[in-house]
Every structure is written in structure tokens, then in C-alpha cells.
Amino acid sequence: MISKPERHILIVVENLPVPLDRRVWLEATTLIAAGYEVSVICPMGRGWNAPYEVIEGVHIYRHSEPPEAHSGAVAYAREYGHAIRHWFRLARVVWKRRKFDVIQGCNPPDLIFLLALWYRFRGVRYMFDHHDVCPELFQAKFGKKGLLYSVMLLWEKMTFATASVSMATNGSFRDIAIRRGGMAPEDVFVVRSAPRVDTFLPGAGDASYRKGAGTVMGYVGVIGQQEGMDLLVQAAQHLIRNLGQKDVHFVIAGFGPTLEEVKQDVADHGLTDYFTFTGPLYGEDLLAALNVIDIGLSPDPKNPMNDISTMNKVMEYMTLEKPVVQFDLIEGRVSAGEASLYARANDPVDFAAKIDALIRDPEARARMGRMGRKRVLEDLSWAHTVPQLLAAYERIYEKRGR
């Protein structure tokens, strides 16, 4: 084990508070267990509003929530400008308490390199934790490339140029770091997102979520512009009205900028009685909802971003032994394999047909669920990711030592 005084890491997150950001929290606590000291800068929100606290050995510094940005460049400029000011302010606070050796920047946005550059001449190195492909993310949000897309490409290029080492969530992101980011292959590590199998356990769940239905579908995650919730509602309508599957219910767990719009869409389709919106759920409450579902849904549409992104919800369904229905995405297949059915790209009618097929075949559901959990336990769990995370940090400290 590394002695604690030797290595101090500062992790910077813009879009979620910690420990709510499950990937960052797993990274931070894993590094603590390996003997590193870890500090985190993140926004407040969702009940995590203490400006400073220490949880499980992680020093967490939170700033006020930025103004929400959903509608254009000006709104995003306000949000990111707010965050950048607080990154620099709180980094000084952390530095005064104890100097750090590495800044780990968790995108979006691809702007944390600005903070890393400021501290580079003090011997600090930059670890880029590549959560999202931001150019493709903005293309998905706004439906076109344009000037903003070009700006995102520039920020991404500068991020990779600043980073000494990069952590990719999957092989597709690793290819981007090497091909588009110009990083050396030996400096890019695949650090997948996955639940801890020792705490994310299958169980009975809370039967009240079933609302008496024979088959329950579940969704967990962000409810936003690019998550395909409109396609899910259309699929539900086709399943119920055209395929005759009326003994069903949909449990939607999560929060996001378009939550109220999705609720209205459900009402406009006359499906309110078939849907339960739980709001954000964490820990045991989340398990109580997800364990009661029979089929996990991932309606993220096929586009340049989603095609190469690993969906946390798919990993969570598989860990809890739930079969999955999703659109046919490259990394979706990499994650789920035969534990999922794959609908034609962005076709809600075919999505409904895949749900219908699983409803009619309980044995297939059970078999796919077992295959999914086995896949996680043998290849994809956080325990399999830890060596890559620690190897990435050994690499950056090796380069820093030079």
C-alpha cells in the first residue's frame, strides 16, 4: 500500500455532486483504499449541500449549483463560467490545506484542462477521465454540427494535449483518445463504469411499484433531451394499444431537465395510469425499485454519441439479473451481449415488439437475466476495473517522476 502522505489527487466534477456521481465515487473510494489522499471539487445539489465534508476519507469541496443550461450557447457559457470560477477558488483552498500532485478532470465540459494548465508549472499533472464525447454530445443536443461542434472539438483537442494520461470508459473512447486526441496508446486506460457487485444485489424489491401489473418495465437514469424518452413513450403506446399488452406498468426512476415534459407526453398519450415516476432514488431505495422490474429499458437513440457510449443503466440492469431491451448501439452490444434484445435504430414500434417478445417468454427473460449477471461478475464488474484505474495512476506518477 502507498503511504498516505506521498500522493494527493484532486478530482474535479462539473455536472453532478459527489457522492451522487457513482463513477467518481467508486474511483475516489478505490484510490483511498489504495493509500492515496483524495479531494473532490463538485457542485452542490440533490441534498448534497455541505460546502465541505469528509466522507469515507474523501475530502469534498462543493460550490453553489450553476444556472441550468439546456437551451443554447449563452446558457452553457453562464453555467461553465460559474463552474470555472469555483474550480480556481476551491483549488486554492485545497492547495493551501495540502498540495496535490494530479488533477483528475471528469468531463463534461472539456474545460477542466484550464485548471490543470494553471497548476502544471507547479509540477501537477492532468488525468483526463473521459465520461462523454462532448462534440457528439452537443451534436445530439442541437441536431447539427455547426460552430458549437467545432468549439467542442477544439476543447477536446486541448484537453488531450494537456493530459498526461487518459481514462476511457470503453474501447470506443480509447480509440478517440488515440485517433482524435493524439495520445500514445500506452497512456490511455479503459476504466469501465460498473456497479459494485457486493452492494448492488438482486432481491425482491418493493412490490408496491408493480401496481398489480403482470409485467413491469423499468428505466433508471437522466431524463433529458438525448435519452430517448419520447421513443420510450411511443413504444409504450404501441405495446399497450396495438399489441394488446395492457397488464403492464413502467417505473421511471431519475431526474433531469425534461422530466415534466416527459410526464406531459405520457398524459397526452393517455398512459398516465401505466407510468410511475419515482424521482431520483439512491442506495437501498434505488434497489427497491429496480429489483421489482422484470425488464430493463434503455431507449437511448442511435446517434454518433450514444453509439459509442456505455450506458450505466444497462450495467445496472444486468447486475440485478434483468434482461434488457435497447436500440442496436455498438457499445450497447459490447456491454450486454446476449443479455439484451436490440431494436432497429430509433424505431419505437420495433422497440415495443422486443418488449412484447420478452413479456411472452418468461423463460427467455430469466435466461437472459442470468447471462447478464454472469457477464458482469466474470468480466465487467468494478472489481475488474480497479486494476486499470490503479495502473493509470501508476503511469501518471511514473511520467510525473520523470
Side-chain angles (χ1 to χ4, degrees):
M1 177 175 288
I2 305 162
S3 60
K4 182 178 178 181
E6 285 186 20
R7 298 180 173 182
H8 181 200
I9 298 160
L10 173 62
I11 301 177
V12 180
V13 190
E14 191 273 341
N15 62 346
L16 279 176
V18 170
L20 178 57
D21 188 315
R22 293 194 290 277
R23 174 182 171 89
V24 173
W25 189 242
L26 285 172
E27 291 171 335
T29 52
T30 298
L31 290 167
I32 289 287
Y36 292 80
E37 182 171 350
V38 179
S39 300
V40 176
I41 294 173
C42 66
M44 298 175 181
R46 301 293 165 183
W48 300 101
N49 296 322
Y52 170 75
E53 62 182 325
V54 180
I55 304 176
E56 296 183 34
V58 181
H59 296 259
I60 306 172
Y61 299 79
R62 300 190 186 96
H63 57 79
S64 59
E65 291 184 80
E68 291 188 346
H70 314 304
S71 57
V74 174
Y76 279 101
R78 285 199 300 268
E79 176 185 339
Y80 296 160
H82 175 91
I84 290 168
R85 289 195 300 274
H86 287 293
W87 297 342
F88 279 85
R89 176 181 66 82
L90 290 173
R92 289 195 298 270
V93 174
V94 178
W95 186 266
K96 185 176 180 180
R97 180 179 66 82
R98 194 199 151 187
K99 295 178 180 178
F100 41 85
D101 316 306
V102 175
I103 292 174
Q104 175 181 319
C106 307
N107 80 332
D110 289 338
L111 285 172
I112 304 172
F113 78 89
L114 296 170
L115 182 69
L117 283 175
W118 182 257
Y119 282 91
R120 189 176 187 87
F121 296 105
R122 306 183 196 190
V124 177
R125 291 295 172 260
Y126 188 40
M127 171 77 77
F128 179 42
D129 189 9
H130 197 183
H131 291 196
D132 287 303
V133 278
C134 285
E136 285 80 2
L137 172 61
F138 276 75
Q139 183 182 358
K141 277 182 175 289
F142 299 110
K144 59 182 180 179
K145 291 187 175 180
L147 177 61
L148 197 55
Y149 179 85
S150 299
V151 170
M152 295 299 110
L153 280 176
L154 176 62
W155 289 353
E156 180 188 81
K157 186 177 183 66
M158 296 175 76
T159 291
F160 283 121
T162 304
S164 297
V165 174
S166 177
M167 296 190 295
T169 56
N170 57 43
S172 295
F173 278 33
R174 184 175 187 272
D175 290 343
I176 285 176
I178 296 168
R179 172 177 47 82
R180 204 158 75 189
M183 296 201 73
E186 61 269 23
D187 291 332
V188 186
F189 295 77
V190 176
V191 179
R192 295 184 63 90
S193 295
R196 284 189 187 274
V197 295
D198 55 338
T199 57
F200 217 74
L201 296 169
D206 183 348
S208 67
Y209 283 115
R210 300 192 70 88
K211 305 297 183 185
T215 309
V216 179
M217 275 60 69
Y219 170 92
V220 61
V222 176
I223 301 174
Q225 187 176 352
Q226 65 272 5
E227 275 74 30
M229 298 304 292
D230 57 333
L231 297 173
L232 188 153
V233 175
Q234 293 172 44
Q237 181 185 43
H238 185 74
L239 180 74
I240 295 163
R241 308 291 188 219
N242 300 103
L243 299 180
Q245 293 287 4
K246 299 185 185 300
D247 190 18
V248 298
H249 199 72
F250 292 80
V251 176
I252 311 298
F255 61 91
T258 63
L259 174 58
E260 294 307 315
E261 294 174 28
V262 174
K263 288 181 178 179
Q264 187 60 53
D265 192 25
V266 168
D268 291 344
H269 283 82
L271 300 175
T272 300
D273 291 343
Y274 291 94
F275 277 76
T276 293
F277 291 89
T278 70
L281 297 175
Y282 314 114
E284 293 300 319
D285 292 333
L286 178 61
L287 286 175
L290 290 186
N291 266 321
V292 83
I293 71 173
D294 302 299
I295 302 168
L297 304 180
S298 183
D300 304 80
K302 188 177 183 70
N303 59 40
M305 182 189 75
N306 290 338
D307 216 16
I308 60 174
S309 298
T310 298
M311 304 301 172
N312 288 337
K313 53 183 166 285
V314 170
M315 300 301 304
E316 291 170 346
Y317 302 148
M318 292 165 60
T319 304
L320 296 180
E321 228 168 79
K322 309 300 180 183
V324 183
V325 174
Q326 58 183 313
F327 291 115
D328 196 356
L329 309 179
I330 292 171
E331 287 294 336
R333 281 190 178 272
V334 170
S335 295
E338 295 181 23
S340 176
L341 294 185
Y342 302 92
R344 289 190 298 270
N346 310 340
D347 183 347
V349 171
D350 195 42
F351 198 90
K354 296 299 187 289
I355 298 173
D356 180 60
L358 288 181
I359 291 174
R360 296 175 186 278
D361 194 347
E363 291 184 5
R365 295 206 307 264
R367 182 178 67 254
M368 290 167 62
R370 290 192 298 270
M371 291 171 61
R373 182 164 173 81
K374 182 174 184 288
R375 188 173 176 82
V376 171
L377 293 177
E378 294 183 353
D379 295 308
L380 302 175
S381 72
W382 183 250
H384 293 90
T385 294
V386 168
Q388 286 292 98
L389 172 67
L390 298 182
Y393 268 97
E394 284 302 320
R395 176 63 175 166
I396 202 168
Y397 272 95
E398 175 192 342
K399 296 185 75 172
R400 181 175 181 270
R402 292 176 189 170

mmCIF file of all heavy atoms in Angstrom, residues 190-221:
data_model
loop_
_atom_site.group_PDB
_atom_site.id
_atom_site.type_symbol
_atom_site.label_atom_id
_atom_site.label_comp_id
_atom_site.label_asym_id
_atom_site.label_seq_id
_atom_site.Cartn_x
_atom_site.Cartn_y
_atom_site.Cartn_z
ATOM 1 N N VAL A 190 -8.557 1.821 -20.278
ATOM 2 C CA VAL A 190 -10.010 1.627 -20.250
ATOM 3 C C VAL A 190 -10.438 1.365 -18.808
ATOM 4 O O VAL A 190 -10.121 0.317 -18.235
ATOM 5 C CB VAL A 190 -10.449 0.471 -21.162
ATOM 6 C CG1 VAL A 190 -11.955 0.238 -21.029
ATOM 7 C CG2 VAL A 190 -10.086 0.776 -22.616
ATOM 8 N N VAL A 191 -11.132 2.333 -18.235
ATOM 9 C CA VAL A 191 -11.663 2.230 -16.873
ATOM 10 C C VAL A 191 -13.184 2.260 -17.004
ATOM 11 O O VAL A 191 -13.799 3.321 -17.069
ATOM 12 C CB VAL A 191 -11.139 3.372 -15.980
ATOM 13 C CG1 VAL A 191 -11.726 3.276 -14.569
ATOM 14 C CG2 VAL A 191 -9.610 3.345 -15.928
ATOM 15 N N ARG A 192 -13.780 1.096 -17.068
ATOM 16 C CA ARG A 192 -15.216 0.986 -17.320
ATOM 17 C C ARG A 192 -16.020 1.400 -16.097
ATOM 18 O O ARG A 192 -15.562 1.271 -14.969
ATOM 19 C CB ARG A 192 -15.585 -0.447 -17.710
ATOM 20 C CG ARG A 192 -14.983 -0.923 -19.018
ATOM 21 C CD ARG A 192 -15.482 -2.318 -19.364
ATOM 22 N NE ARG A 192 -16.914 -2.329 -19.575
ATOM 23 C CZ ARG A 192 -17.502 -2.133 -20.754
ATOM 24 N NH1 ARG A 192 -16.765 -1.914 -21.830
ATOM 25 N NH2 ARG A 192 -18.810 -2.159 -20.868
ATOM 26 N N SER A 193 -17.245 1.875 -16.347
ATOM 27 C CA SER A 193 -18.186 2.160 -15.269
ATOM 28 C C SER A 193 -19.010 0.909 -14.995
ATOM 29 O O SER A 193 -19.538 0.292 -15.923
ATOM 30 C CB SER A 193 -19.125 3.311 -15.660
ATOM 31 O OG SER A 193 -18.407 4.504 -15.821
ATOM 32 N N ALA A 194 -19.105 0.543 -13.733
ATOM 33 C CA ALA A 194 -19.887 -0.638 -13.358
ATOM 34 C C ALA A 194 -20.212 -0.569 -11.876
ATOM 35 O O ALA A 194 -19.458 0.023 -11.100
ATOM 36 C CB ALA A 194 -19.099 -1.913 -13.663
ATOM 37 N N PRO A 195 -21.335 -1.166 -11.473
ATOM 38 C CA PRO A 195 -21.669 -1.174 -10.049
ATOM 39 C C PRO A 195 -20.757 -2.109 -9.262
ATOM 40 O O PRO A 195 -20.109 -2.999 -9.823
ATOM 41 C CB PRO A 195 -23.111 -1.703 -10.023
ATOM 42 C CG PRO A 195 -23.579 -1.686 -11.434
ATOM 43 C CD PRO A 195 -22.360 -1.798 -12.286
ATOM 44 N N ARG A 196 -20.737 -1.904 -7.948
ATOM 45 C CA ARG A 196 -20.088 -2.860 -7.056
ATOM 46 C C ARG A 196 -21.040 -4.042 -6.858
ATOM 47 O O ARG A 196 -22.148 -3.873 -6.367
ATOM 48 C CB ARG A 196 -19.805 -2.224 -5.692
ATOM 49 C CG ARG A 196 -18.633 -1.257 -5.659
ATOM 50 C CD ARG A 196 -18.344 -0.893 -4.212
ATOM 51 N NE ARG A 196 -17.344 0.144 -4.086
ATOM 52 C CZ ARG A 196 -16.029 -0.071 -4.054
ATOM 53 N NH1 ARG A 196 -15.570 -1.301 -4.142
ATOM 54 N NH2 ARG A 196 -15.196 0.938 -3.928
ATOM 55 N N VAL A 197 -20.602 -5.226 -7.218
ATOM 56 C CA VAL A 197 -21.493 -6.379 -7.136
ATOM 57 C C VAL A 197 -21.729 -6.814 -5.696
ATOM 58 O O VAL A 197 -22.677 -7.561 -5.412
ATOM 59 C CB VAL A 197 -20.938 -7.564 -7.957
ATOM 60 C CG1 VAL A 197 -20.915 -7.221 -9.436
ATOM 61 C CG2 VAL A 197 -19.543 -7.963 -7.475
ATOM 62 N N ASP A 198 -20.896 -6.352 -4.757
ATOM 63 C CA ASP A 198 -21.098 -6.736 -3.363
ATOM 64 C C ASP A 198 -22.200 -5.917 -2.696
ATOM 65 O O ASP A 198 -22.721 -6.299 -1.646
ATOM 66 C CB ASP A 198 -19.797 -6.614 -2.566
ATOM 67 C CG ASP A 198 -19.171 -5.228 -2.664
ATOM 68 O OD1 ASP A 198 -19.480 -4.508 -3.633
ATOM 69 O OD2 ASP A 198 -18.383 -4.863 -1.777
ATOM 70 N N THR A 199 -22.583 -4.794 -3.307
ATOM 71 C CA THR A 199 -23.657 -3.971 -2.734
ATOM 72 C C THR A 199 -24.863 -3.850 -3.668
ATOM 73 O O THR A 199 -25.975 -3.614 -3.210
ATOM 74 C CB THR A 199 -23.143 -2.557 -2.403
ATOM 75 O OG1 THR A 199 -22.608 -1.954 -3.594
ATOM 76 C CG2 THR A 199 -22.058 -2.609 -1.338
ATOM 77 N N PHE A 200 -24.660 -4.002 -4.968
ATOM 78 C CA PHE A 200 -25.748 -3.896 -5.941
ATOM 79 C C PHE A 200 -26.272 -5.303 -6.194
ATOM 80 O O PHE A 200 -25.914 -5.965 -7.173
ATOM 81 C CB PHE A 200 -25.220 -3.245 -7.229
ATOM 82 C CG PHE A 200 -26.207 -2.329 -7.895
ATOM 83 C CD1 PHE A 200 -26.496 -1.091 -7.370
ATOM 84 C CD2 PHE A 200 -26.867 -2.718 -9.057
ATOM 85 C CE1 PHE A 200 -27.403 -0.233 -7.981
ATOM 86 C CE2 PHE A 200 -27.776 -1.874 -9.679
ATOM 87 C CZ PHE A 200 -28.043 -0.631 -9.136
ATOM 88 N N LEU A 201 -27.152 -5.764 -5.293
ATOM 89 C CA LEU A 201 -27.526 -7.172 -5.252
ATOM 90 C C LEU A 201 -28.973 -7.399 -5.686
ATOM 91 O O LEU A 201 -29.862 -6.609 -5.352
ATOM 92 C CB LEU A 201 -27.352 -7.716 -3.833
ATOM 93 C CG LEU A 201 -25.916 -7.739 -3.294
ATOM 94 C CD1 LEU A 201 -25.917 -8.039 -1.798
ATOM 95 C CD2 LEU A 201 -25.090 -8.785 -4.041
ATOM 96 N N PRO A 202 -29.232 -8.492 -6.422
ATOM 97 C CA PRO A 202 -30.623 -8.859 -6.742
ATOM 98 C C PRO A 202 -31.414 -9.132 -5.468
ATOM 99 O O PRO A 202 -30.863 -9.592 -4.464
ATOM 100 C CB PRO A 202 -30.466 -10.136 -7.581
ATOM 101 C CG PRO A 202 -29.055 -10.120 -8.069
ATOM 102 C CD PRO A 202 -28.264 -9.434 -7.009
ATOM 103 N N GLY A 203 -32.713 -8.853 -5.513
ATOM 104 C CA GLY A 203 -33.560 -9.080 -4.357
ATOM 105 C C GLY A 203 -35.019 -8.984 -4.753
ATOM 106 O O GLY A 203 -35.359 -8.874 -5.935
ATOM 107 N N ALA A 204 -35.886 -8.981 -3.746
ATOM 108 C CA ALA A 204 -37.325 -8.974 -4.021
ATOM 109 C C ALA A 204 -37.825 -7.613 -4.492
ATOM 110 O O ALA A 204 -38.747 -7.525 -5.308
ATOM 111 C CB ALA A 204 -38.084 -9.406 -2.766
ATOM 112 N N GLY A 205 -37.253 -6.540 -3.988
ATOM 113 C CA GLY A 205 -37.723 -5.212 -4.350
ATOM 114 C C GLY A 205 -39.006 -4.848 -3.632
ATOM 115 O O GLY A 205 -39.534 -5.604 -2.803
ATOM 116 N N ASP A 206 -39.526 -3.686 -3.946
ATOM 117 C CA ASP A 206 -40.748 -3.161 -3.325
ATOM 118 C C ASP A 206 -41.927 -3.439 -4.260
ATOM 119 O O ASP A 206 -42.091 -2.791 -5.292
ATOM 120 C CB ASP A 206 -40.588 -1.661 -3.081
ATOM 121 C CG ASP A 206 -41.786 -1.043 -2.371
ATOM 122 O OD1 ASP A 206 -42.830 -1.715 -2.261
ATOM 123 O OD2 ASP A 206 -41.678 0.121 -1.939
ATOM 124 N N ALA A 207 -42.770 -4.402 -3.858
ATOM 125 C CA ALA A 207 -43.860 -4.843 -4.726
ATOM 126 C C ALA A 207 -44.878 -3.749 -5.015
ATOM 127 O O ALA A 207 -45.636 -3.850 -5.993
ATOM 128 C CB ALA A 207 -44.560 -6.048 -4.094
ATOM 129 N N SER A 208 -44.902 -2.686 -4.205
ATOM 130 C CA SER A 208 -45.885 -1.619 -4.452
ATOM 131 C C SER A 208 -45.644 -0.923 -5.786
ATOM 132 O O SER A 208 -46.567 -0.340 -6.364
ATOM 133 C CB SER A 208 -45.845 -0.601 -3.311
ATOM 134 O OG SER A 208 -44.612 0.104 -3.290
ATOM 135 N N TYR A 209 -44.424 -0.995 -6.293
ATOM 136 C CA TYR A 209 -44.133 -0.391 -7.597
ATOM 137 C C TYR A 209 -44.829 -1.125 -8.741
ATOM 138 O O TYR A 209 -44.995 -0.569 -9.826
ATOM 139 C CB TYR A 209 -42.622 -0.375 -7.864
ATOM 140 C CG TYR A 209 -41.868 0.693 -7.113
ATOM 141 C CD1 TYR A 209 -40.923 0.358 -6.150
ATOM 142 C CD2 TYR A 209 -42.086 2.047 -7.373
ATOM 143 C CE1 TYR A 209 -40.216 1.334 -5.468
ATOM 144 C CE2 TYR A 209 -41.388 3.029 -6.682
ATOM 145 C CZ TYR A 209 -40.457 2.669 -5.729
ATOM 146 O OH TYR A 209 -39.757 3.641 -5.049
ATOM 147 N N ARG A 210 -45.222 -2.358 -8.515
ATOM 148 C CA ARG A 210 -45.824 -3.131 -9.597
ATOM 149 C C ARG A 210 -47.233 -2.648 -9.930
ATOM 150 O O ARG A 210 -47.716 -2.861 -11.048
ATOM 151 C CB ARG A 210 -45.881 -4.622 -9.232
ATOM 152 C CG ARG A 210 -44.525 -5.253 -8.966
ATOM 153 C CD ARG A 210 -44.621 -6.781 -8.901
ATOM 154 N NE ARG A 210 -44.908 -7.320 -10.235
ATOM 155 C CZ ARG A 210 -43.977 -7.640 -11.134
ATOM 156 N NH1 ARG A 210 -42.700 -7.466 -10.862
ATOM 157 N NH2 ARG A 210 -44.329 -8.121 -12.317
ATOM 158 N N LYS A 211 -47.892 -2.010 -8.991
ATOM 159 C CA LYS A 211 -49.271 -1.535 -9.202
ATOM 160 C C LYS A 211 -50.185 -2.673 -9.688
ATOM 161 O O LYS A 211 -51.124 -2.454 -10.473
ATOM 162 C CB LYS A 211 -49.310 -0.391 -10.226
ATOM 163 C CG LYS A 211 -48.412 0.789 -9.878
ATOM 164 C CD LYS A 211 -48.833 1.466 -8.596
ATOM 165 C CE LYS A 211 -47.965 2.687 -8.318
ATOM 166 N NZ LYS A 211 -48.261 3.323 -7.020
ATOM 167 N N GLY A 212 -49.872 -3.884 -9.256
ATOM 168 C CA GLY A 212 -50.697 -5.035 -9.615
ATOM 169 C C GLY A 212 -50.482 -5.571 -11.007
ATOM 170 O O GLY A 212 -51.178 -6.498 -11.436
ATOM 171 N N ALA A 213 -49.516 -5.036 -11.755
ATOM 172 C CA ALA A 213 -49.305 -5.451 -13.154
ATOM 173 C C ALA A 213 -48.572 -6.780 -13.243
ATOM 174 O O ALA A 213 -47.745 -7.121 -12.393
ATOM 175 C CB ALA A 213 -48.525 -4.376 -13.909
ATOM 176 N N GLY A 214 -48.840 -7.504 -14.308
ATOM 177 C CA GLY A 214 -48.182 -8.783 -14.525
ATOM 178 C C GLY A 214 -46.724 -8.640 -14.924
ATOM 179 O O GLY A 214 -45.886 -9.459 -14.553
ATOM 180 N N THR A 215 -46.415 -7.613 -15.713
ATOM 181 C CA THR A 215 -45.043 -7.376 -16.160
ATOM 182 C C THR A 215 -44.695 -5.904 -15.952
ATOM 183 O O THR A 215 -45.472 -5.021 -16.333
ATOM 184 C CB THR A 215 -44.856 -7.726 -17.650
ATOM 185 O OG1 THR A 215 -45.357 -9.047 -17.888
ATOM 186 C CG2 THR A 215 -43.386 -7.678 -18.035
ATOM 187 N N VAL A 216 -43.525 -5.666 -15.368
ATOM 188 C CA VAL A 216 -43.099 -4.298 -15.071
ATOM 189 C C VAL A 216 -41.808 -3.999 -15.812
ATOM 190 O O VAL A 216 -40.832 -4.753 -15.729
ATOM 191 C CB VAL A 216 -42.907 -4.087 -13.555
ATOM 192 C CG1 VAL A 216 -42.436 -2.664 -13.262
ATOM 193 C CG2 VAL A 216 -44.208 -4.371 -12.816
ATOM 194 N N MET A 217 -41.813 -2.897 -16.553
ATOM 195 C CA MET A 217 -40.623 -2.401 -17.222
ATOM 196 C C MET A 217 -40.019 -1.270 -16.402
ATOM 197 O O MET A 217 -40.754 -0.515 -15.747
ATOM 198 C CB MET A 217 -40.959 -1.894 -18.621
ATOM 199 C CG MET A 217 -40.973 -2.962 -19.701
ATOM 200 S SD MET A 217 -42.175 -4.276 -19.425
ATOM 201 C CE MET A 217 -43.715 -3.379 -19.685
ATOM 202 N N GLY A 218 -38.702 -1.141 -16.430
ATOM 203 C CA GLY A 218 -38.051 -0.103 -15.644
ATOM 204 C C GLY A 218 -37.054 0.702 -16.441
ATOM 205 O O GLY A 218 -36.435 0.193 -17.388
ATOM 206 N N TYR A 219 -36.924 1.960 -16.059
ATOM 207 C CA TYR A 219 -35.904 2.851 -16.627
ATOM 208 C C TYR A 219 -35.263 3.586 -15.459
ATOM 209 O O TYR A 219 -35.955 4.099 -14.576
ATOM 210 C CB TYR A 219 -36.524 3.864 -17.589
ATOM 211 C CG TYR A 219 -35.557 4.950 -18.022
ATOM 212 C CD1 TYR A 219 -34.798 4.793 -19.177
ATOM 213 C CD2 TYR A 219 -35.384 6.108 -17.271
ATOM 214 C CE1 TYR A 219 -33.894 5.773 -19.573
ATOM 215 C CE2 TYR A 219 -34.488 7.088 -17.661
ATOM 216 C CZ TYR A 219 -33.738 6.921 -18.802
ATOM 217 O OH TYR A 219 -32.842 7.892 -19.188
ATOM 218 N N VAL A 220 -33.932 3.684 -15.453
ATOM 219 C CA VAL A 220 -33.238 4.489 -14.452
ATOM 220 C C VAL A 220 -32.205 5.344 -15.160
ATOM 221 O O VAL A 220 -31.520 4.884 -16.075
ATOM 222 C CB VAL A 220 -32.566 3.602 -13.381
ATOM 223 C CG1 VAL A 220 -31.527 2.664 -13.978
ATOM 224 C CG2 VAL A 220 -31.919 4.471 -12.291
ATOM 225 N N GLY A 221 -32.130 6.607 -14.766
ATOM 226 C CA GLY A 221 -31.115 7.468 -15.366
ATOM 227 C C GLY A 221 -31.599 8.888 -15.538
ATOM 228 O O GLY A 221 -32.639 9.295 -15.015
#
